[in-house]
Amino acid sequence: TGVATMKFKSPPVNSLSLDFLTEFCISLEKLENNRACRGVILTSAIPKIFSSGLDITEMCGKNTEHYAEFWRAVQEMWLRLYGSNMVTVAVVNGSSPAGGCLLALSCDYRIMVENPKFSIGLNEAQLGIVAPFWFKDTFVNVVGHRVAERSLQLGSLHSAPEAHRIGLVDELVTEEKLQEKAVAVMAQWLALPDHARQLTKSMMRKAVLDRLVAHREEDIQNFISFISKESIQKSLRMYMEMLKKKK
Amino acid sequence: TGVATMKFKSPPVNSLSLDFLTEFCISLEKLENNRACRGVILTSAIPKIFSSGLDITEMCGKNTEHYAEFWRAVQEMWLRLYGSNMVTVAVVNGSSPAGGCLLALSCDYRIMVENPKFSIGLNEAQLGIVAPFWFKDTFVNVVGHRVAERSLQLGSLHSAPEAHRIGLVDELVTEEKLQEKAVAVMAQWLALPDHARQLTKSMMRKAVLDRLVAHREEDIQNFISFISKESIQKSLRMYMEMLKKKK
Amino acid sequence: TGVATMKFKSPPVNSLSLDFLTEFCISLEKLENNRACRGVILTSAIPKIFSSGLDITEMCGKNTEHYAEFWRAVQEMWLRLYGSNMVTVAVVNGSSPAGGCLLALSCDYRIMVENPKFSIGLNEAQLGIVAPFWFKDTFVNVVGHRVAERSLQLGSLHSAPEAHRIGLVDELVTEEKLQEKAVAVMAQWLALPDHARQLTKSMMRKAVLDRLVAHREEDIQNFISFISKESIQKSLRMYMEMLKKKK
């Protein structure tokens, strides 16, 4: 059918570790270069979670080189996904905070399970960190400036119904109908001539993509100097402790 | 009353041919320079169609000079209408795809007949072509980035109720009430002091107008090289064949 | 609690006079520099009016130096408030036209009394004047381009319910619940780590703030040359006469 499905399966919560990101980029590039593949569905093989976002262990107690390598991989993931020539559909079948939300935001269309227990959002501020400008740009392009400003400052995690109401996801469906709906959406987008659709997509996203490309090294340095602060390291350690206790 | 009405009457479907565009620009300029005229209503004299958009015969099987002349006329139409000092109200009394939609988007206010059979949208992608950046900028200014991104990639034609829901048109009224409503809207806008209203309008639209002015020749060259491609010519010929069969 | 309240009390209508603006900036700066203060609530001590906006007597029949000093103070107010590191909540307990609306727009969150008799909006065009570009930028950041374009050109004053519908205010509550709601909202925003929240806020607002900083003197000169026109002075005198008769 020309449609691939990438099912995230990195237990326990599909954290975006350096390994995950590297594998994701390689897989995406392979599909991108495969002319038989015109669309890709992103979803999770792990119940209740789409992706928990950037792996905090990669940002905690490591050296500068590691931070640089990790951040470059995060950038690469976004540049490839947001700029993909394929039709990209996120099937958000579980919660999707922070970097997980970015994954969904970077697709062409977002379907979420209509379970109010699942939430999605760029909640970085809750952890004492700041979403980088290109997370913000991607978010603004989806929900507009005001909703983004409020949501980012509050580090909001939006329940599925709320996410739908503010336009963060395009559609809610029951768990049973997810697959069927994803296939239908993909068919609708693939009905368009590839060339025209790709040029149109690029026209809409180029300004924001170019901005990171132009400031990529600066953005890496910003990340390193921010994440290396003792106060930030302390926040992250506390957050990880809290997560461990939750289990 | 200081209000002119331009009724498009270019059978069968008010295509924006070179002749149509030239006459449109001359008429608009005359009104613009007539100090007694403060507002203009754009509507169609042809049942069921506002304007079918750019005339495909102008883009098919012609030479480079013709393409350049045609595209310059399309640009000119938009620069004059989007930047008009007059109050411009589109009375969309029929379907309005592609360039017809741009005409409506370039006005200050859009009233559409509440007939679900009539549709409006920038459906260029359906034809295998790409709406130029200033169509896109105008669209984004009206419906926001996300709605524009999805609608442009899908080449969507929105039924009147849907067009209203996404903000593509401001109001739906019955065919009988169209004229009355247009007059009322015009009166509301003309109640403002011209000078303040014009400066405000210019402040809102200047960035987007300036962008085309700055890249006008480049945009013409882009159009020529795109439209001259054999693959695009083939798409357009097929589309025209389809239209002929429809009749 | 770390939260200050600034209650405007400049009878009869909390006009933003030079004195009001100067005192406002001094008060805000003191709070900004007080590390114990993390949030500020802006509200009015005068019934039925939040703020009536810029004091027209400061713009009428004065000399160039006065206009320059006044306009610099208006700019300063906005730069400090829109760029404040504190959480800023506007409790709009009365009508709030023009500059009064800007005050509210510059906060992080807007609560308005759900009284349809109270209205809010950037109605400058009604007076024959034009909202400066940074009023416009602030407005667009809150309600989006299309709503701003229409509202600014019509000089609309939106009733509380309408203001809520278009996103100009975030929430409507009864007069009795205003205080309680303001405290609850403030608590929600203060629950976030200051540093992350402040950096996020700055990221969202920096582009627009920088634009005025870069064009500040030019903006003052624009204001002076505009306001010094005899036609504008006449409009303002007529408007003041009308206000006097209303009493």
Side-chain angles (χ1 to χ4, degrees):
Chain A
T1 65
V3 178
T5 297
M6 281 177 66
K7 267 200 170 167
F8 307 148
K9 195 176 180 178
S10 176
V13 288
N14 287 333
S15 287
L16 306 177
S17 65
L18 185 51
D19 283 350
F20 184 108
L21 293 167
T22 307
E23 209 184 311
F24 178 85
C25 285
I26 291 171
S27 304
L28 202 64
E29 193 182 7
K30 272 188 196 162
L31 296 173
E32 203 81 55
N33 293 332
N34 178 348
R35 296 203 52 175
C37 182
R38 300 174 59 218
V40 60
I41 293 170
L42 303 188
T43 191
S44 166
I46 294 178
K48 297 183 191 170
I49 192 92
F50 179 70
S51 162
S52 64
L54 303 186
D55 188 341
I56 294 175
T57 64
E58 304 278 11
M59 302 191 266
C60 217
K62 299 288 200 294
N63 63 26
T64 299
E65 287 69 35
H66 186 84
Y67 294 149
E69 188 185 1
F70 176 62
W71 199 247
R72 191 179 300 279
V74 179
Q75 293 175 333
E76 193 67 25
M77 174 269 284
W78 178 75
L79 288 170
R80 285 181 185 278
L81 182 58
Y82 198 61
S84 172
N85 268 327
M86 296 182 286
V87 173
T88 51
V89 173
V91 172
V92 185
N93 55 347
S95 284
S96 199
C101 178
L102 181 74
L103 270 177
L105 286 170
S106 304
C107 290
D108 291 316
Y109 199 82
R110 286 157 286 286
I111 303 164
M112 190 167 180
V113 181
E114 62 175 356
N115 185 337
K117 287 184 188 164
F118 296 158
S119 64
I120 184 169
L122 294 174
N123 63 322
E124 281 79 354
Q126 294 271 6
L127 284 65
I129 59 178
V130 179
F133 72 86
W134 39 286
F135 281 50
K136 179 265 288 178
D137 288 342
T138 312
F139 198 28
V140 168
N141 274 356
V142 173
V143 298
H145 192 278
R146 171 58 188 159
V147 170
E149 183 182 82
R150 181 173 162 188
S151 183
L152 283 171
Q153 280 195 69
L154 292 173
S156 303
L157 285 175
H158 304 282
S159 70
E162 194 177 284
H164 184 240
R165 203 166 50 244
I166 65 173
L168 205 170
V169 299
D170 295 299
E171 216 168 335
L172 298 181
V173 297
T174 59
E175 187 102 34
E176 300 76 49
K177 299 242 171 131
L178 267 188
Q179 185 55 24
E180 182 189 332
K181 173 54 77 177
V183 169
V185 164
M186 191 54 92
Q188 185 195 14
W189 286 68
L190 289 179
L192 279 289
D194 277 340
H195 189 63
R197 188 190 47 71
Q198 288 162 359
L199 287 173
T200 305
K201 181 173 179 175
S202 165
M203 176 172 66
M204 296 304 300
R205 301 190 167 189
K206 194 172 183 306
V208 159
L209 285 163
D210 283 353
R211 212 173 147 209
L212 177 58
V213 171
H215 298 281
R216 195 162 179 180
E217 297 308 318
E218 194 184 324
D219 183 59
I220 292 173
Q221 292 312 315
N222 277 347
F223 173 73
I224 294 173
S225 72
F226 185 78
I227 213 72
S228 304
K229 281 182 188 152
E230 186 40 39
S231 59
I232 301 300
Q233 286 291 313
K234 198 177 152 192
S235 293
L236 295 178
R237 281 194 302 267
M238 281 169 59
Y239 188 74
M240 285 198 296
E241 283 305 314
M242 197 191 76
L243 289 181
K244 276 180 198 162
K245 277 178 196 156
K246 257 192 171 173
K247 294 179 206 169
Chain B
T1 65
V3 178
T5 297
M6 281 176 67
K7 266 198 170 168
F8 307 148
K9 194 174 179 179
S10 177
V13 289
N14 287 331
S15 288
L16 306 177
S17 64
L18 185 52
D19 283 350
F20 185 109
L21 292 167
T22 307
E23 208 183 313
F24 178 84
C25 284
I26 291 170
S27 303
L28 202 64
E29 192 182 9
K30 272 188 196 162
L31 295 174
E32 202 82 55
N33 293 332
N34 178 348
R35 296 203 52 173
C37 182
R38 300 174 60 217
V40 60
I41 293 169
L42 303 188
T43 192
S44 166
I46 294 178
K48 297 182 190 169
I49 192 92
F50 179 70
S51 162
S52 65
L54 303 186
D55 188 341
I56 293 174
T57 62
E58 305 278 11
M59 302 190 266
C60 217
K62 299 288 198 295
N63 64 26
T64 300
E65 287 69 36
H66 185 83
Y67 294 149
E69 188 184 2
F70 176 62
W71 199 247
R72 191 179 300 278
V74 179
Q75 294 176 332
E76 192 68 26
M77 173 270 283
W78 178 76
L79 289 170
R80 286 182 184 279
L81 183 59
Y82 198 60
S84 173
N85 270 325
M86 297 181 286
V87 173
T88 51
V89 174
V91 173
V92 184
N93 54 348
S95 284
S96 199
C101 178
L102 181 74
L103 269 177
L105 286 170
S106 304
C107 290
D108 292 316
Y109 199 82
R110 286 157 287 285
I111 304 164
M112 190 167 179
V113 181
E114 62 174 357
N115 185 337
K117 287 185 188 165
F118 295 157
S119 64
I120 183 168
L122 294 174
N123 63 323
E124 281 79 355
Q126 294 271 6
L127 284 66
I129 59 177
V130 181
F133 71 87
W134 40 284
F135 280 51
K136 179 266 288 177
D137 288 342
T138 311
F139 198 28
V140 168
N141 274 355
V142 173
V143 299
H145 191 279
R146 171 57 187 158
V147 170
E149 183 182 81
R150 181 173 162 188
S151 183
L152 284 172
Q153 280 195 69
L154 292 173
S156 303
L157 284 175
H158 305 280
S159 70
E162 193 176 286
H164 184 239
R165 202 166 50 245
I166 65 173
L168 205 169
V169 298
D170 296 298
E171 217 168 335
L172 299 182
V173 296
T174 59
E175 186 103 35
E176 300 77 49
K177 297 242 171 129
L178 266 188
Q179 184 56 23
E180 182 189 333
K181 173 53 79 176
V183 169
V185 164
M186 191 53 93
Q188 185 196 12
W189 286 68
L190 290 178
L192 278 289
D194 277 340
H195 189 63
R197 188 190 48 71
Q198 288 162 357
L199 287 172
T200 305
K201 181 173 178 174
S202 165
M203 175 172 67
M204 296 304 300
R205 301 190 167 189
K206 195 171 183 307
V208 159
L209 285 163
D210 284 354
R211 211 172 149 211
L212 177 58
V213 172
H215 298 281
R216 195 160 178 180
E217 297 309 318
E218 193 185 325
D219 184 58
I220 292 173
Q221 293 311 316
N222 277 348
F223 173 73
I224 294 173
S225 73
F226 185 79
I227 213 73
S228 304
K229 281 182 188 152
E230 186 41 38
S231 58
I232 301 299
Q233 286 291 313
K234 197 176 154 192
S235 293
L236 295 178
R237 280 194 303 268
M238 279 169 60
Y239 187 75
M240 286 198 295
E241 284 304 315
M242 196 191 76
L243 289 180
K244 275 180 199 163
K245 277 177 196 157
K246 257 192 171 173
K247 296 176 204 169
Chain C
T1 64
V3 179
T5 297
M6 281 178 65
K7 266 200 169 166
F8 307 148
K9 195 176 178 178
S10 176
V13 289
N14 287 332
S15 288
L16 305 177
S17 64
L18 185 51
D19 283 351
F20 184 108
L21 292 166
T22 308
E23 209 183 311
F24 178 85
C25 284
I26 291 171
S27 303
L28 202 64
E29 194 182 8
K30 272 188 197 163
L31 295 173
E32 203 81 54
N33 293 332
N34 178 348
R35 297 203 52 175
C37 182
R38 300 173 60 216
V40 60
I41 293 169
L42 302 188
T43 192
S44 165
I46 294 178
K48 297 182 189 169
I49 192 93
F50 179 70
S51 162
S52 65
L54 302 186
D55 188 343
I56 294 174
T57 64
E58 305 278 11
M59 302 190 268
C60 215
K62 298 288 199 296
N63 64 26
T64 300
E65 286 69 34
H66 185 83
Y67 294 149
E69 189 185 2
F70 176 63
W71 200 247
R72 191 178 299 280
V74 179
Q75 293 175 332
E76 192 67 26
M77 173 270 284
W78 177 75
L79 289 170
R80 285 181 185 280
L81 183 58
Y82 198 61
S84 173
N85 269 325
M86 296 181 286
V87 173
T88 51
V89 173
V91 173
V92 185
N93 55 348
S95 284
S96 199
C101 178
L102 181 74
L103 269 177
L105 286 170
S106 304
C107 290
D108 292 316
Y109 199 83
R110 286 157 287 286
I111 304 164
M112 191 167 178
V113 181
E114 63 174 357
N115 184 337
K117 287 185 188 164
F118 295 157
S119 64
I120 184 168
L122 293 174
N123 63 322
E124 280 80 354
Q126 294 271 5
L127 285 65
I129 59 179
V130 180
F133 71 86
W134 38 286
F135 280 51
K136 180 265 288 177
D137 289 342
T138 312
F139 198 29
V140 168
N141 274 355
V142 174
V143 299
H145 192 278
R146 171 57 187 158
V147 170
E149 183 182 81
R150 181 173 163 189
S151 184
L152 283 171
Q153 280 196 69
L154 292 174
S156 303
L157 284 174
H158 305 281
S159 70
E162 194 177 285
H164 184 240
R165 202 166 50 245
I166 64 173
L168 204 169
V169 298
D170 296 298
E171 216 168 334
L172 298 182
V173 296
T174 59
E175 186 103 35
E176 300 76 49
K177 298 242 171 130
L178 266 188
Q179 185 56 24
E180 183 189 331
K181 173 54 79 177
V183 169
V185 164
M186 191 54 92
Q188 186 196 13
W189 286 68
L190 290 179
L192 280 289
D194 277 340
H195 190 62
R197 188 190 48 71
Q198 288 161 359
L199 287 173
T200 306
K201 181 173 178 174
S202 165
M203 176 172 66
M204 296 304 300
R205 300 190 168 190
K206 194 171 183 308
V208 160
L209 285 163
D210 284 354
R211 212 173 147 207
L212 177 58
V213 171
H215 299 281
R216 194 162 178 180
E217 297 308 318
E218 195 184 324
D219 183 59
I220 292 173
Q221 292 311 316
N222 277 348
F223 173 72
I224 293 173
S225 73
F226 185 79
I227 213 72
S228 303
K229 281 182 188 152
E230 186 40 38
S231 59
I232 301 299
Q233 286 291 314
K234 196 177 154 192
S235 293
L236 295 178
R237 280 195 302 268
M238 280 170 59
Y239 188 73
M240 286 198 295
E241 285 304 314
M242 196 192 76
L243 289 181
K244 276 181 198 162
K245 276 177 196 157
K246 256 193 173 174
K247 295 178 204 171

